[in-house]
Amino acid sequence: MAGQEQRRRRRIVLFPLPFQGHMNPMLQLATLLHGRGLAVTVLHTGFNAPDPTRHPAEFTFVPIHESFPAEVTSPGADIATQLLALNAACEAPFREALASLLLRGQDQDVACAVVDGQCYSALRAAHQLGVPALALRTDSAATFRSMLAYPRLRDAEERLEELVPDLEPLRARDLIRVDGSDTDALCGFIGSVADATRASASGIVINTFEGIEASELVKIQRELSRPAFAVGPLHLLSQAPAEQSLHAPDRGCLAWLDERPPRSVLYVSLGSVACVDRGVFEEMAWGLAGSGVPFLWVVRPGLVSGGGGGGGEEVPPLPDGFGKEIRSRGKIVSWAPQREVLAHAAIAAFWTHCGWNSTLESVCEGVPMLVQPCFADQLVNARYVTHGWGVGMEVGEEIERGRVAKAVTKLMVGDDAAQMRGRAYHLKMQASAATSLSIDCLVHYISSL
């Protein structure tokens, strides 16, 4: 009887975008849905494949056997071109893998597919096979709203400093962009995402919580005429193991933090994908030196682009003479266990690229931010951090050592620092109060499909 009951369990099929910032929220959501009685099958690419040993034994992991062109897998590939090529390469293999599951009968009662919202081709394929599809947005509700509005904003470059009507506090300059990327390719990608969501998604699932994005959620539901579920913060609600990382974290930095006074250290990390040129990297280093502030800095392989050291798989060399700053009051690691670092009592602030996962993790720990957005949704998130929620400040459009030192000092010990910490603590309390009610509502909705 137990075996028969297991075979009759409704199954969800998940398909994550094969990048760290997208895979972790998808698998955290899978853990929550599995805990509420749904069977889980994860379709995945061979590129950056998830590690099944890090997840419940009952999860089924199925490769789709895609063949990616170099535009997808090459380090430093143009992001818009990369995402367009990834969608084109995944559509047929995903459709075949999902169709195979559907043919297996009652032991694979597929209730719906949960597809990363950037995988518009998989959303379409699921819909064409008659499988209800939910789009998981691993970015913010505000970012998703800006993507839906993008076609009508293409001329906004002429009014960069003006607020965008109905998207406040965003200015035109805060809209999604990727410097150096082909504008038409980027617009084509965003348009495909918006069109597929409108035509093929039965609902939207967003890794956010109402305490920070209630109004954006209401507007999404009104615009799309379908439910939008705020299921975050997923890393808090899922209580899943530490995130799967493409880099091995240096846990020794936690012991180093143990030796520092409370709220004394600036944590610096630009995430797993963003990169800067050699000049910006050196200005960051000497800005940290000039600030006089203790720091923990993630200098990962590939952080520095182009010539002059770094890029590819190399850890970029530090500027000549910077070593004494590390010995006196800093620590540099190639990767850090970020959630544990942000939760550490020694951390006072976070210098971040404002990827959504990093932004949420900082909000959930009540840590103010110094923002240095590099591309895409990071621009939207940074604007909300500074002008929506008031829990951070900009490092400056020009990364210059004197300005960096001044910004760091202001964030850590300036007159505004206490107010920002107070607002950050308030958001932390709201995040802590977020419940799994939306997950329960999502499960009820899945059961009704």
Side-chain angles (χ1 to χ4, degrees):
M1 289 295 294
Q4 292 175 359
E5 178 63 26
Q6 174 66 24
R7 285 194 295 271
R8 283 197 297 268
R9 292 177 74 186
R10 301 215 74 190
R11 181 170 297 274
I12 53 168
V13 178
L14 301 102
F15 185 57
L17 193 73
F19 299 105
Q20 180 177 324
H22 292 255
M23 290 174 63
N24 287 325
M26 179 71 81
L27 292 168
Q28 289 159 359
L29 177 64
T31 299
L32 287 164
L33 295 176
H34 176 259
R36 284 157 175 78
L38 292 167
V40 169
T41 293
V42 180
L43 300 182
H44 63 85
T45 63
F47 174 63
N48 288 344
D51 179 0
T53 65
R54 299 177 61 86
H55 305 284
E58 297 87 357
F59 282 21
T60 302
F61 288 85
V62 179
I64 67 168
H65 303 297
E66 82 292 345
S67 178
F68 280 156
E71 291 92 334
V72 174
T73 58
S74 297
D78 174 80
I79 292 172
T81 302
Q82 183 182 47
L83 290 170
L84 287 167
L86 185 150
N87 271 277
C90 283
E91 185 165 7
F94 172 83
R95 181 186 289 107
E96 291 168 7
L98 182 56
S100 177
L101 290 177
L102 297 175
L103 289 174
R104 294 182 187 178
Q106 286 301 109
D107 63 329
Q108 299 287 340
D109 179 16
V110 175
C112 73
V114 181
V115 175
D116 189 289
Q118 308 291 54
C119 297
Y120 58 84
S121 65
L123 274 175
R124 286 197 309 242
H127 182 69
Q128 290 164 359
L129 288 171
V131 177
L134 303 176
L136 173 63
R137 300 301 316 184
T138 60
D139 46 17
S140 67
T143 293
F144 181 51
R145 283 200 67 229
S146 74
M147 293 181 76
L148 293 174
Y150 206 84
R152 68 176 171 84
L153 302 174
R154 288 201 60 176
D155 63 347
E157 294 179 359
E158 301 172 3
R159 305 183 303 276
L160 288 179
E161 299 302 328
E162 293 183 18
L163 292 174
V164 180
D166 196 41
L167 291 178
E168 299 87 351
L170 300 182
R171 303 162 299 178
R173 69 163 52 255
D174 304 311
L175 298 174
I176 293 172
R177 72 173 188 271
V178 181
D179 292 339
S181 185
D182 182 87
T183 301
D184 289 337
L186 180 62
C187 291
F189 167 73
I190 293 174
S192 293
V193 168
D195 291 346
T197 303
R198 289 188 172 98
S200 302
S202 298
I204 316 300
V205 182
I206 309 176
N207 184 20
T208 190
F209 60 101
E210 293 197 359
I212 54 173
E213 294 202 287
S215 63
E216 285 78 9
L217 290 160
V218 169
K219 291 172 182 176
I220 287 170
Q221 292 188 104
R222 185 169 62 223
E223 180 169 350
L224 295 179
S225 299
R226 66 203 67 190
F229 300 92
V231 296
L234 283 170
H235 72 280
L236 286 187
L237 295 176
S238 68
Q239 298 182 336
E243 66 273 9
Q244 181 171 327
S245 174
L246 303 179
H247 308 285
D250 181 346
R251 301 189 63 80
C253 66
L254 298 174
W256 181 84
L257 287 172
D258 288 341
E259 299 173 355
R260 314 266 90 72
R263 290 200 308 213
S264 64
V265 176
L266 174 68
Y267 172 53
V268 186
S269 175
L270 300 186
S272 61
V273 176
C275 59
V276 297
D277 63 36
R278 183 71 200 180
V280 168
F281 177 73
E282 295 201 356
E283 294 302 308
M284 290 175 68
W286 291 119
L288 286 171
S291 72
V293 167
F295 60 88
L296 169 62
W297 188 10
V298 174
V299 180
R300 58 158 172 71
L303 176 62
V304 174
S305 62
E313 296 303 314
E314 302 174 9
V315 174
L318 297 167
D320 292 340
F322 189 71
K324 64 181 181 180
E325 299 296 336
I326 303 172
R327 288 192 296 272
S328 64
R329 56 187 169 80
K331 184 172 181 61
I332 289 183
V333 295
S334 60
W335 197 246
Q338 181 162 291
R339 280 159 51 183
E340 293 173 78
V341 167
L342 288 171
H344 199 285
I347 295 297
F350 181 16
W351 182 348
T352 173
H353 66 310
C354 274
W356 184 238
N357 289 328
S358 290
T359 301
L360 263 187
E361 288 165 4
S362 197
V363 163
C364 290
E365 297 302 337
V367 176
M369 287 167 265
L370 185 64
V371 304
Q372 184 184 343
C374 299
F375 59 86
D377 69 311
Q378 298 163 19
L379 304 162
V380 176
N381 302 334
R383 183 67 173 176
Y384 270 77
V385 166
T386 57
H387 288 75
W389 310 320
V391 295
M393 55 180 290
E394 299 170 352
V395 67
E397 190 168 347
E398 179 186 356
I399 308 300
E400 185 275 326
R401 63 190 67 185
R403 295 182 180 182
V404 167
K406 184 177 180 180
V408 168
T409 303
K410 184 176 180 181
L411 180 68
M412 297 287 283
V413 297
D415 294 338
D416 296 333
Q419 294 182 18
M420 278 188 283
R421 277 197 295 269
R423 289 190 289 266
Y425 179 79
H426 176 68
L427 287 188
K428 176 182 179 179
M429 293 299 98
Q430 289 185 298
S432 300
T435 69
S436 57
L437 178 60
S438 287
I439 296 290
D440 295 331
C441 292
L442 175 60
V443 170
H444 179 76
Y445 182 65
I446 290 172
S447 300
S448 73
L449 294 173

